[in-house]
Amino acid sequence: VALNYAYKIAISDKLSLSSGLAFGFVQTAFTAPSSTGNGNSTAPDASIGVALQHKKFEAGFSIKQLLNASVNPVIDAILYERYYNSYFNYIFRLSHALKLKSGALWNYLPSQPDNINVYSMFEIKEIFSVGSSYQYNKNISFIISANFSVMQESVLLSLIYNTPLSNTPASWTDSI
């Protein structure tokens, strides 16, 4: 459960500033065989963010799990550690019907390696998109999507295929 609030201010005809705030609760549940036991914990959570938009460029920064809450669903505590996101997007108009959308996302969690994603997508008439995304040292994804209007609702259908960069298992799967 979360309450979200966002506000956007036009600074000029082509420049705007957005900010947002969220407060709520996160829940962690643990289920195991009956001889081991089950657990459930709830903790408060909050996030804040800000974005700047200028014509075809947008950049933003957010802080998630702002409260560094801790839960104890069974025995050991689980820390919802604060992490940071920053991103930018730019749209290149190639013709009246074709755009190239490009950008990057950086996630920083102090106890983990940085997560960096770079993407580029061609968009045709704001309906069909095709492109790819590269996640540093992890994978390349290929994306196809279609955005349709059904009555007054928008429906987005996407197909994403992820390819690993190597046969090395993820760090959390190398031991049993």
Side-chain angles (χ1 to χ4, degrees):
V1 175
L3 297 171
N4 296 292
Y5 180 77
Y7 193 75
K8 185 174 185 177
I9 300 170
I11 297 172
S12 71
D13 291 344
K14 299 175 183 177
L15 183 66
S16 63
L17 180 68
S18 303
S19 63
L21 140 69
F23 180 78
F25 295 91
V26 292
Q27 182 176 21
T28 301
F30 175 77
T31 305
S34 59
S35 62
T36 307
N38 300 320
N40 190 352
S41 290
T42 303
D45 190 24
S47 300
I48 59 171
V50 64
L52 186 67
Q53 298 168 318
H54 183 265
K55 295 182 191 179
K56 301 173 188 175
F57 178 78
E58 180 178 352
F61 179 79
S62 66
I63 303 172
K64 306 285 189 165
Q65 296 174 187
L66 191 60
L67 304 178
N68 279 335
S70 178
V71 295
N72 292 316
V74 182
I75 296 172
D76 292 332
I78 297 172
L79 176 64
Y80 289 104
E81 191 174 2
R82 181 178 304 130
Y83 66 96
Y84 308 88
N85 295 315
S86 62
Y87 74 94
F88 74 88
N89 297 312
Y90 190 82
I91 300 172
F92 300 91
R93 182 172 287 282
L94 304 175
S95 73
H96 72 284
L98 184 64
K99 295 178 187 174
L100 175 63
K101 293 183 173 184
S102 296
L105 168 68
W106 171 61
N107 305 106
Y108 173 72
L109 178 62
S111 62
Q112 299 291 319
D114 288 4
N115 183 12
I116 300 169
N117 295 274
V118 178
Y119 81 93
S120 226
M121 303 235 350
F122 287 101
E123 184 179 85
I124 304 163
K125 294 188 176 183
E126 298 184 3
I127 298 173
F128 298 103
S129 297
V130 62
S132 64
S133 173
Y134 169 70
Q135 188 173 16
Y136 180 71
N137 274 345
K138 292 187 181 171
N139 64 14
I140 296 174
S141 301
F142 299 98
I143 307 157
I144 299 172
S145 66
N147 192 3
F148 299 99
S149 292
V150 178
M151 291 190 234
Q152 294 182 354
E153 298 296 324
S154 180
V155 177
L156 177 65
L157 301 174
S158 295
L159 173 67
I160 302 171
Y161 178 73
N162 295 316
T163 62
L165 291 179
S166 68
N167 293 329
T168 306
S171 61
W172 52 271
T173 61
D174 62 359
S175 62
I176 297 179

